Amino acid sequence: MGGNAMIGLSTVNCLNGGRGRLGPSVTALGIMACVMGAYPLLNFIPVAALAGIMLVVVMHTFKWFSVSMVVAALLPGSIREKLGPRFQRKAPRVEVFVIFIVTLLSNWPAGTNIAYAV
């Protein structure tokens, strides 16, 4: 599934009661005002506050059930049967391998290289 930075904004809008087109429009106008005119004020926002907002968005947008699917893909069938129904649903091993390779390439050797991940 493709995505961009607007996924987080849309999620925040929906979590705070936005159901129509007014919420995203106000968000877009607010971002435009910040970028075009209020950018000097953005320097006064603490980086820790921005990181906290990013973590909250990640916590709400990440599909946590997929972690058990990835773990199940790495386990043999006999162990999955013993662990119960939660680990019966698994992702294909090839896809899990691709996820690990992309994660490795985007974080190594230079720290964070998002160009490889895209």
Side-chain angles (χ1 to χ4, degrees), residues 2-110:
N4 59 19
M6 292 305 291
I7 290 175
L9 296 174
S10 298
T11 301
V12 170
N13 271 328
C14 289
L15 289 173
N16 290 311
R19 295 289 180 249
R21 296 183 183 185
L22 182 63
S25 300
V26 171
T27 302
L29 290 173
I31 291 174
M32 185 178 72
C34 288
V35 170
M36 294 180 71
Y39 61 89
L41 296 175
L42 295 177
N43 291 329
F44 295 108
I45 299 174
V47 175
L50 297 175
I53 292 170
M54 282 179 33
L55 284 175
V56 168
V57 170
V58 166
M59 297 295 282
H60 287 293
T61 57
F62 188 76
K63 302 297 182 195
W64 291 101
F65 68 86
S66 64
V67 174
S68 63
M69 290 175 62
V70 169
V71 170
L74 300 174
L75 297 174
S78 59
I79 295 177
R80 282 198 322 264
E81 289 175 7
K82 292 177 185 177
L83 291 175
R86 184 176 188 180
F87 289 95
Q88 294 303 317
R89 193 171 156 202
K90 71 179 189 83
R93 286 193 172 120
V94 173
E95 291 183 15
V96 172
F97 179 72
V98 170
I99 290 170
F100 285 133
I101 292 297
V102 169
T103 303
L104 181 71
L105 287 176
S106 62
N107 290 306
W108 179 82

